[in-house]
Amino acid sequence: MSLTSCLLPFSQSSTAPLTSTCSCHLPASSSNFPVSSRNYYSSLRNESLVLNGGGSNHCRRFCGLKLWILKSPNLRHGSHRKHQHVKDLTTRSEHTFLSYERGFAEETGAAGLQPSETILGTDSVDDSHKAGDTPSVSKQFLDSLSDVPRGASLCIAVVGATGELARRKIFPALFALYYSGYLPEDVGIFGYSRKNLTDEDLRSIIASTLTCRVDHLENCGDKMDAFLSRTYYINGGYDNRDGMSRLDERMKQIEGVSKANRMFYLSVPQEALVDVACNIGDKAQAPQGWTRIIVEKPFGFNWYSSHQLTQSLLSKFEERQIYRIDHMLGRNLIENLTVLRFSNLVFEPLWNRTYIRNVQVIVSESVAQTAKYSDGYGIIRDIFHSHILQTIALLTMEPPISLDGEDIRNEKMKVLRSTRKLDPAYAILGQYKYTSGDKNEAILNSVGPTYCAAALYIDNARWDGVPFLVRVGTGLIKHRVEIRVQFRHVPGNIYRDNIGINIDLGTNELILRDEPDEAILVKINNKVPGLGLQLDASELNLLYKDRYSTEVPDSYEHLIHDVIDGDNHLFMRSDEVAAAWNILSPVLEEIDKHHTAPELYEFGGRGPVGAYYLWAKHGVPWADG
């Protein structure tokens, strides 16, 4: 018998004295861990682990093999913390198994070994196993893998964790993703603020805001407990440099030896944003994985302040690491714009100046939904700059070459560059008031308008001459978020006399409604059944609540998921931010330099009267239905 095929019991091998120095604490027995005296191959055979090489390498390679099996995605089953038994794995070919040899060598430090010492997936010594078979591993060895400490593969930090936005939106969105399986089970959630709290304090604060989906409530309590147990608090104090260092150390403790990614949600006031972001860049970026930061709107006060903010962020991060979030862009309506345009042949041939008369973008908040906008920013800087202009860009851009985020951003940028600067004569600013006895009082500061109606034009071949009418306001009579695409009249319409005096009532219209009751409506002309010829303007409707039973995820949930996936098409790039400020600059300068007073309108009313005249000036009928 050849010595190269001889198996020596582990306890009798020359490496036995070295097992005491191994930090992996592997159980060893002569029945389960025989060691091959051969120096050429390693394999797994007959419920036994066969190692190769000299005795000095055994301990290191045992640890390395354990870590490699834990990290290898093909040896894990779905969860980041549950492992599939090797006996249950599909048999792989020698070529497939060898493809992981390099990865194992890199992760275990075996890269410096001779080729004959690396792991192979086959061994022809024993005729009972053919080339390409994946031999089984002893149950005792696999059980020992659970002793290896595992760290978080993803760490998410919410900076400003005790604020209203974090409690009501961010933490519930993170839990919804965790509950639905879109976050790894080993995720680490970190809350960071200046308050002197403990982990348990933070868990108590956010626990009441967490809810499970109504369409699947299985194991809700268990999932919630697991999520809270992986939530930690860091007291950043008043020095973010020291605070971020403490956050970094805590993250490293949770991550262990894992190659982890990090995401930071900056839910902080604008005046603190640069300091927080720069200290994250200096002190808390991921050592090995990716780092991404989420920045809340508004993105500056004007072009100049936005440029300074952008330069500060780019001094510490690359553009691909920065995600400027606007929760209104996470609505299903926005995501569906490109789907409707580029996956339906019926719309694309009509999507131009030849057939479209005007486009209206309406964001109207009723009294019940009215919320105070950022102090001193007003509705133009808070809503118009990001949500409105991004919506128009997605609605009007040319087909991108792919669904890659940068390709879509490039097309949006072309639209923004082609958009004419907003002439103050084409904008109506308003502010709501309420009546208190015999005295009228404006609720908000006069430098922050609560209503804006404007007419925009895109100077390119597709949209030349088509007015884009925007109405965004709060404290109005109706709550409505929708896009209305009105088509031109039918040339030489032979049914003109049957439509009635108002030809506009017979105009085709596509309505994309987000609130209330998300729907897609197409307004058409139809003959009323019966004798005679009478036309009626009817709507073909797709009402989401009737068609789909799935609960629609919150917009924060949607956008945070996109950040984790690296999908940035709904987030503004630096050049998009600058281009948007450039469009709004004339109106903002008019407000700042000349202290233009907004037109007052009744709280709970229809908005400023001047908006009706603006629509008429551009030949657009007021869509108030």
Side-chain angles (χ1 to χ4, degrees):
M1 179 178 65
S2 171
L3 289 176
T4 60
S5 61
C6 178
L7 297 179
L8 301 179
F10 188 85
S11 59
Q12 299 176 8
S13 71
S14 60
T15 65
L18 294 175
T19 58
S20 62
T21 66
C22 184
S23 61
C24 293
H25 305 294
L26 292 172
S29 69
S30 59
S31 61
N32 288 323
F33 294 96
V35 179
S36 172
S37 61
R38 302 168 60 231
N39 290 321
Y40 301 106
Y41 302 103
S42 291
S43 64
L44 302 170
R45 303 203 312 269
N46 301 328
E47 297 290 319
S48 299
L49 181 68
V50 184
L51 296 181
N52 64 295
S56 62
N57 290 323
H58 288 159
C59 177
R60 173 163 62 92
R61 299 182 62 192
F62 250 135
C63 296
L65 178 59
K66 288 175 66 176
L67 290 176
W68 176 75
I69 292 179
L70 286 171
K71 290 184 178 181
S72 174
N74 290 301
L75 294 179
R76 292 183 296 180
H77 177 62
S79 166
H80 287 239
R81 298 196 299 178
K82 296 180 181 180
H83 307 285
Q84 187 176 2
H85 197 287
V86 175
K87 284 185 177 180
D88 299 329
L89 296 175
T90 304
T91 301
R92 292 191 298 240
S93 67
E94 179 179 356
H95 173 75
T96 304
F97 194 90
L98 287 175
S99 67
Y100 293 99
E101 179 182 345
R102 180 179 179 183
F104 168 73
E106 291 175 350
E107 295 190 21
T108 62
L113 300 178
Q114 297 297 322
S116 61
E117 296 181 307
T118 54
I119 281 191
L120 298 178
T122 60
D123 196 340
S124 58
V125 174
D126 192 337
D127 293 335
S128 64
H129 288 85
K130 297 180 181 180
D133 287 348
T134 302
S136 59
V137 179
S138 74
K139 184 178 184 300
Q140 185 177 359
F141 173 72
L142 288 176
D143 290 342
S144 72
L145 296 178
S146 61
D147 297 332
V148 178
R150 287 193 40 78
S153 59
L154 173 64
C155 286
I156 301 174
V158 180
V159 184
T162 56
E164 189 76 4
L165 177 63
R167 291 191 302 106
R168 294 183 57 189
K169 292 294 184 179
I170 301 174
F171 283 114
L174 291 174
F175 173 66
L177 291 171
Y178 181 81
Y179 178 75
S180 302
Y182 290 102
L183 291 182
E185 289 189 12
D186 58 12
V187 66
I189 306 294
F190 299 83
Y192 178 101
S193 78
R194 294 176 174 178
K195 293 185 178 180
N196 187 19
L197 302 175
T198 64
D199 292 349
E200 287 302 323
D201 291 335
L202 177 64
R203 293 165 185 168
S204 298
I205 289 173
I206 67 175
S208 61
T209 67
L210 306 183
T211 57
C212 296
R213 293 211 179 283
V214 296
D215 52 357
H216 54 283
L217 297 175
E218 299 85 356
N219 303 319
C220 179
D222 293 340
K223 281 285 189 179
M224 195 173 295
D225 291 342
F227 178 82
L228 292 173
S229 70
R230 303 201 64 82
T231 302
Y232 314 95
Y233 181 76
I234 307 299
N235 179 5
Y238 288 87
D239 185 347
N240 284 315
R241 188 174 184 85
D242 292 339
M244 289 304 166
S245 295
R246 290 194 293 274
L247 176 59
D248 179 63
E249 289 302 317
R250 189 69 185 276
M251 283 183 166
K252 287 179 178 177
Q253 293 175 5
I254 303 302
E255 291 166 351
V257 297
S258 298
K259 180 180 178 180
N261 303 312
R262 294 181 180 180
M263 186 185 83
F264 297 85
Y265 198 119
L266 277 55
S267 178
V268 297
Q270 286 291 301
E271 56 269 20
L273 180 58
V274 171
D275 180 59
V276 170
C278 289
N279 280 294
I280 290 175
D282 289 336
K283 297 293 184 179
Q285 295 207 52
Q288 301 181 66
W290 52 253
T291 299
R292 293 168 186 158
I293 63 170
I294 301 177
V295 180
E296 271 282 353
K297 67 182 176 77
F299 312 120
F301 190 78
N302 50 30
W303 183 91
Y304 180 70
S305 63
S306 176
H307 176 72
Q308 288 182 312
L309 173 60
T310 297
Q311 293 306 307
S312 297
L313 295 176
L314 292 178
S315 69
K316 303 297 180 180
F317 302 95
E318 297 179 16
E319 181 67 52
R320 60 186 175 85
Q321 295 180 271
I322 304 171
Y323 289 74
R324 298 173 180 85
I325 191 171
D326 180 349
H327 72 279
M328 298 184 74
L329 294 176
R331 306 289 296 182
N332 186 65
L333 167 68
I334 304 300
E335 184 74 10
N336 203 28
L337 289 179
T338 53
V339 176
L340 281 174
R341 280 198 58 195
F342 303 128
S343 68
N344 294 287
L345 182 61
V346 66
F347 293 123
E348 185 59 23
L350 307 178
W351 217 254
N352 54 63
R353 61 189 299 272
T354 304
Y355 297 100
I356 293 179
R357 182 182 180 189
N358 67 81
V359 177
Q360 299 182 35
V361 180
I362 303 168
V363 179
S364 169
E365 287 192 348
S366 66
V367 174
Q369 276 76 31
T370 294
K372 185 176 180 180
Y373 292 97
S374 303
D375 291 339
Y377 286 88
I379 207 163
I380 299 178
R381 294 177 170 98
D382 196 41
I383 302 293
F384 207 118
H385 173 263
S386 56
H387 172 63
I388 297 299
L389 292 179
Q390 285 289 296
T391 298
I392 292 175
L394 286 167
L395 186 71
T396 60
M397 69 181 187
E398 297 299 317
I401 61 174
S402 76
L403 292 178
D404 179 75
E406 291 305 316
D407 291 333
I408 295 176
R409 283 170 147 187
N410 291 338
E411 295 303 328
K412 288 193 297 178
M413 184 59 191
K414 293 177 183 177
V415 173
L416 293 173
R417 291 182 61 189
S418 300
T419 302
R420 196 183 303 172
K421 287 187 177 183
L422 180 57
D423 188 334
Y426 288 177
I428 300 296
L429 304 180
Q431 183 181 57
Y432 62 71
K433 63 179 181 179
Y434 72 95
T435 302
S436 177
D438 296 330
K439 182 180 178 182
N440 289 338
E441 296 182 29
I443 295 178
L444 294 184
N445 192 312
S446 61
V447 299
T450 60
Y451 182 100
C452 179
L456 294 170
Y457 287 88
I458 301 173
D459 295 328
N460 63 19
R462 184 185 287 265
W463 299 108
D464 186 30
V466 177
F468 288 79
L469 283 301
V470 176
R471 280 190 296 158
V472 53
T474 185
L476 300 171
I477 190 172
K478 289 184 179 181
H479 181 62
R480 194 153 52 113
V481 179
E482 65 184 21
I483 301 169
R484 304 178 77 101
V485 180
Q486 293 186 345
F487 293 89
R488 297 190 182 277
H489 302 144
V490 177
N493 193 341
I494 59 176
Y495 291 102
R496 183 185 184 93
D497 295 337
N498 302 96
I499 294 175
I501 298 175
N502 189 354
I503 190 66
D504 291 324
L505 295 178
T507 300
N508 299 129
E509 192 171 14
L510 171 65
I511 304 170
L512 308 176
R513 178 177 298 157
D514 184 41
E515 292 182 291
D517 299 329
E518 186 171 1
I520 299 175
L521 312 171
V522 180
K523 185 178 175 182
I524 63 168
N525 296 311
N526 185 56
K527 178 185 177 298
V528 177
L531 300 177
L533 185 59
Q534 181 181 353
L535 270 60
D536 175 52
S538 304
E539 290 181 346
L540 307 177
N541 69 78
L542 168 61
L543 197 60
Y544 276 57
K545 66 180 182 181
D546 294 339
R547 179 66 178 85
Y548 304 106
S549 58
T550 305
E551 182 181 2
V552 179
D554 181 77
S555 56
Y556 281 94
E557 184 180 340
H558 181 185
L559 293 172
I560 291 173
H561 178 259
D562 283 351
V563 174
I564 296 171
D565 275 358
D567 182 355
N568 56 15
H569 82 281
L570 293 176
F571 301 84
M572 296 180 74
R573 201 167 58 191
S574 295
D575 54 352
E576 292 180 80
V577 173
W581 283 120
N582 187 57
I583 294 170
L584 299 177
S585 290
V587 171
L588 295 176
E589 290 173 1
E590 181 75 15
I591 295 174
D592 296 339
K593 291 182 178 180
H594 302 286
H595 305 288
T596 304
E599 180 182 340
L600 297 181
Y601 62 95
E602 196 67 36
F603 187 65
R606 295 183 179 275
V609 176
Y612 289 86
Y613 292 105
L614 177 66
W615 257 240
K617 181 189 295 186
H618 294 274
V620 176
W622 181 273
D624 205 25

